[in-house]
């Protein structure tokens, strides 16, 4: 489409990026269209964002870094030859909300798959679950029993459901979460442990908290940590409102067999999740079928994998050609008034 790109991958994704570039070049991509660069992110951003030719930024990462990109572009706005377009996908604190009518077995499966697949290292991973008290005893038993069966190890062994987290930095972050949880009123029901002897492994962890303001329900950990909050069944509408008030709005799910409740949640959480799921885990969007992205503090919701994202990178031009151009500035009504 005429656009050229400077691609700066995360340091932990550099090998995958290099492989993708090799595949694209073998497929016929001309040199100079996509320019893969490595190095310190802040240093590269300083150079790229200061260039007067900058046309836009397509960012995936933390909210804090995207905020710094926006500030940097804003401070340079008088320097650019056109206004840069900014697209950001910054993750979220994704939720599963259950109603008393939910299928408990399906709910349990969604929590485990949504929270622990890929070690929870998805921006869409389920990390907070709101459960009515009437369902909690049965759901708690299902989750604790099933989590105990999850195998963690080398991903080349397909009998393992989970592998290691991405690096030591992530491992240490998750271990700090466990320490803080143990020091609070929260209860670690399963997991809460890590091992870095043969890799940076974190056990699939289930935590229960009774504090709606706890960091466990507000901060993104990007790991296999799921926190549950149990509410009175009569407080369903209040919990729905609290979820809607949260800043991260990437993915979310409602579990209920009552269509009226599903409709209520779909409406009440209209702006709480860019990708909303009904009786399914809030992960695994299919490219081409479920355009992906969220708003508020989860990004600009430009829907990767869709026409909406694609057209953000076009610059339309309207052309009009007159085949019989007028030769007198006077419109017919002007001539008529003069004659009268």
């Amino acid at each position: 489409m005429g656009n050229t790109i400077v691609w700066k991958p995360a340091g932990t994704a550099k090998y995958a990026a290099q492989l993708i570039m090799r595949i694209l070049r073998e497929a016929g991509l001309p040199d100079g269209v996509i320019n893969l660069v490595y190095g310190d992110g802040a240093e590269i951003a300083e150079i790229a964002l200061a260039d007067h030719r900058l046309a836009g930024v397509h960012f995936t990462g933390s909210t804090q870094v995207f905020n710094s990109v926006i500030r940097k572009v804003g401070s340079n706005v008088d320097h650019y030859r056109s206004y840069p377009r900014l697209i950001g996908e910054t993750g979220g604190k994704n939720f599963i909300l259950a109603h008393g009518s939910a299928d408990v077995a399906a709910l349990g499966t969604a929590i485990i798959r949504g929270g622990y697949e890929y070690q929870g290292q998805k921006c869409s991973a389920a990390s907070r679950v709101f459960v009515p008290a009437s369902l909690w005893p049965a759901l708690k038993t299902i989750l604790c029993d099933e989590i105990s069966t999850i195998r963690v190890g080398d991903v080349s062994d397909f009998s393992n459901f989970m592998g290691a987290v991405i690096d030591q930095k992530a491992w240490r972050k998750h271990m700090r979460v466990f320490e803080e949880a143990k020091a609070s009123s929260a209860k670690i029901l399963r997991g809460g442990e890590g091992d870095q002897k043969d890799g940076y492994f974190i056990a699939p962890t289930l935590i229960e908290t009774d504090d709606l303001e706890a960091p466990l329900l507000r901060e993104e950990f990007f790991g296999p940590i799921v926190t549950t909050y149990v509410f009175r069944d009569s407080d369903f509408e209040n919990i729905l409102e609290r979820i809607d008030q949260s800043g991260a709005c990437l993915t979310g799910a409602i579990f209920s067999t009552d269509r009226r409740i599903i409709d209520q949640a779909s409406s009440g959480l209209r702006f709480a999740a860019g990708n909303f799921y009904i009786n399914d885990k809030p992960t695994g969007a299919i490219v081409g079928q479920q355009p992906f992205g969220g708003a508020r503090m989860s990004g600009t919701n430009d829907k990767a994998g869709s026409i909406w994202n694609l057209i953000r990178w076009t610059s339309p031009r309207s052309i009009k050609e007159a085949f019989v151009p007028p030769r007198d500035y006077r419109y017919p009504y002007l001539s008529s008034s003069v004659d009268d």
Side-chain angles (χ1 to χ4, degrees), residues 26-37:
E26 289 181 15
L29 179 74
D31 289 341
V33 176
I34 299 178
N35 303 277
L36 179 62
V37 298

Side-chain angles (χ1 to χ4, degrees), residues 112 143-152 159 161 190 204:
I112 291 175
L143 291 177
C144 289
D145 289 348
E146 292 295 339
I147 290 172
S148 298
T149 69
I150 293 177
R151 292 190 56 179
V152 182
S159 65
F161 186 79
R190 282 292 183 273

Side-chain angles (χ1 to χ4, degrees), residues 98-115:
H99 181 257
S101 65
D103 180 326
V104 180
L107 176 60
T109 297
I111 293 170
I112 291 175
R113 285 187 171 181

Side-chain angles (χ1 to χ4, degrees), residues 93 184-186 209-219 221 227:
K93 190 67 174 174
S184 71
S185 61
T209 183
D210 58 3
D211 181 6
L212 270 175
E213 300 301 322
L216 290 165
L217 292 176
R218 300 173 68 86
E219 298 178 8
F221 303 130
T227 301

Side-chain angles (χ1 to χ4, degrees), residues 249-252 270-276 291 293-295 301 303:
C249 306
L250 188 54
T251 72
R270 169 69 180 81
F271 301 103
N275 283 59
F276 189 67
N301 202 18
K303 297 300 186 194

